[in-house]
């Protein structure tokens, strides 16, 4: 079952999938006009999910946030409930000041993030599903705002659960952990054009050395490593899911020459672009 809500003037879109056997994220293979973020709730037993060609086990009774550019498919999508929304319906960045750490679910420190539910939370999730279902019965001018309120509640509830389940948030202050989230959000917006730590440090009002020290204190990979990883991830997506040449990908990712990109890819992925593509075909 698929339930959709659209606001034509703003192009806002919200979709709820209930046991939809066709549910998957097509990403670059079939990009949507407006990228969407996704919450997936596995109400059944543990199952496999493949995200960007890497296979994971999604636990039973768990929630998984997915960002807009990820490719994913599930072993048993008919056992899932999923909510999808674009930034015109609910913008994580714009709502961030209103709902603290909203971006944590999508731009936090662990991906993928499987958030486990206890019995009481499973019951609450069932009630939330019913609340969404009830709202689809209305066709008045309030439906969009009510769906937005319910989504906001889902985001807040899931954020609270996730932070309780991540050890770093128990060890360190929210202020310090928030630097990682803000860095990740900046990185997602700028990684194609900004490859240097100094840009992100300046945006966070820190020196590069201070920023690196904070990440080290919080037992996180260095900012430079995260930048490298994000560029390599996107490069692999292009190589997996498109027919773009190495030259086209190089310029797409902000490199000044294809040769520079080729050296970068080999250094940080461990193989040449041509070899990576050859392995994909096999």
């Amino acid at each position: 079952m698929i339930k959709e809500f659209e606001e034509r003037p703003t192009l806002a879109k919200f979709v709820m999938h209930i046991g939809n056997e066709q549910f998957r994220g097509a990403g670059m293979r079939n990009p949507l006009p407006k990228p969407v973020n996704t919450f997936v709730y596995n109400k059944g037993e543990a199952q496999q999910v493949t995200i960007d060609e890497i296979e994971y086990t999604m636990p039973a009774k768990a929630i998984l946030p997915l960002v807009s550019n990820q490719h994913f498919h599930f072993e048993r999508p008919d056992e899932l409930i999923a909510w999808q929304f674009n930034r015109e319906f609910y913008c994580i960045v714009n709502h961030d000041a209103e709902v603290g750490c909203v971006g944590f679910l999508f731009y936090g420190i662990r991906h993928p993030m499987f958030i486990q539910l206890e019995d009481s939370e499973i019951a609450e999730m069932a009630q939330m599903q019913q609340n969404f279902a009830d709202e689809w019965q209305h066709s008045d001018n309030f439906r969009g705002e009510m769906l937005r309120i319910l989504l906001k509640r889902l985001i807040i509830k899931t954020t609270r659960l996730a932070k309780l389940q991540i050890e770093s948030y128990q060890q360190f202050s929210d202020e310090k952990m928030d630097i990682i989230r803000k860095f990740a959000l900046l990185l997602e917006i700028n990684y194609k054009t900004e490859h240097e730590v100094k840009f992100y440090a300046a945006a966070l009002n820190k020196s590069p050395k201070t920023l690196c020290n904070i990440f080290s204190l919080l037992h996180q990979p260095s900012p430079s490593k995260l930048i490298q990883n994000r560029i390599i991830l996107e490069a692999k997506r292009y190589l997996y899911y498109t027919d773009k040449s190495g030259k086209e990908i190089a310029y797409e990712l902000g490199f000044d020459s294809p040769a520079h990109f080729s050296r970068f890819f080999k250094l940080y992925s461990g193989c040449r672009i041509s070899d990576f593509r050859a392995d994909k075909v096999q």
Side-chain angles (χ1 to χ4, degrees), residues 39-50:
F39 278 99
V40 181
Y41 172 47
N42 180 19
K43 62 180 182 178
E45 297 303 313
Q47 62 172 289
Q48 300 306 111
V49 54
T50 303

Side-chain angles (χ1 to χ4, degrees), residues 225-279:
K225 184 63 176 176
L226 292 171
I227 294 168
Q228 293 157 9
N229 288 348
R230 184 63 187 90
I231 295 169
I232 290 294
L233 173 61
E234 197 70 4
K236 288 181 176 180
R237 285 175 177 160
Y238 280 115
L239 293 168
Y240 270 126
Y241 307 120
T242 77
D243 294 325
K244 287 181 180 290
S245 66
K247 180 179 179 180
E248 289 174 310
I249 297 171
Y251 292 129
E252 189 77 31
L253 295 179
F255 288 86
D256 53 13
S257 72
H260 182 196
F261 170 60
S262 294
R263 290 193 298 271
F264 180 93
F265 188 86
K266 184 177 181 181
L267 178 63
Y268 296 111
S269 74
C271 68
R272 296 180 301 176
I273 292 171
S274 57
D275 293 337
F276 185 87
R277 269 225 158 112
D279 290 341

Side-chain angles (χ1 to χ4, degrees), residues 7 12 28 37-38 45 47 73 86 94 100 118 122 142 151 154-155 161 171-172 191 193 208 225 228 247 251 256 271:
E7 292 173 339
M28 289 183 181
N37 285 344
T38 302
E45 297 303 313
Q47 62 172 289
H73 66 267
N86 62 14
N94 292 347
E118 302 293 339
I122 292 169
F142 300 112
L151 174 63
L154 174 65
I155 290 172
L161 289 175
Q171 295 179 333
F172 304 105
Y191 71 90
T193 56
K225 184 63 176 176
Q228 293 157 9
K247 180 179 179 180
Y251 292 129
D256 53 13
C271 68

Side-chain angles (χ1 to χ4, degrees), residues 12-57:
K13 188 169 186 176
F14 176 73
V15 183
M16 184 173 177
H17 303 260
I18 305 172
N20 175 16
E21 294 184 356
Q22 305 303 314
F23 174 68
R24 61 176 51 216
M28 289 183 181
R29 280 184 175 146
N30 185 23
L32 297 170
K34 297 285 184 179
V36 298
N37 285 344
T38 302
F39 278 99
V40 181
Y41 172 47
N42 180 19
K43 62 180 182 178
E45 297 303 313
Q47 62 172 289
Q48 300 306 111
V49 54
T50 303
I51 305 171
D52 291 327
E53 304 303 313
I54 300 175
E55 193 171 272
Y56 304 90
T57 297

Side-chain angles (χ1 to χ4, degrees), residues 54-98:
I54 300 175
E55 193 171 272
Y56 304 90
T57 297
M58 183 172 185
K61 308 300 187 294
I63 294 174
L64 169 64
L66 292 160
V67 295
S68 59
N69 52 356
Q70 288 180 304
H71 295 252
F72 60 84
H73 66 267
F74 290 83
E75 179 185 2
R76 299 187 303 278
D78 57 301
E79 296 179 8
L80 306 173
I81 300 171
W83 298 266
Q84 295 185 300
F85 59 96
N86 62 14
R87 64 175 295 133
E88 287 74 21
F89 184 80
Y90 188 95
C91 178
I92 293 170
V93 177
N94 292 347
H95 285 81
D96 192 57
E98 182 182 359

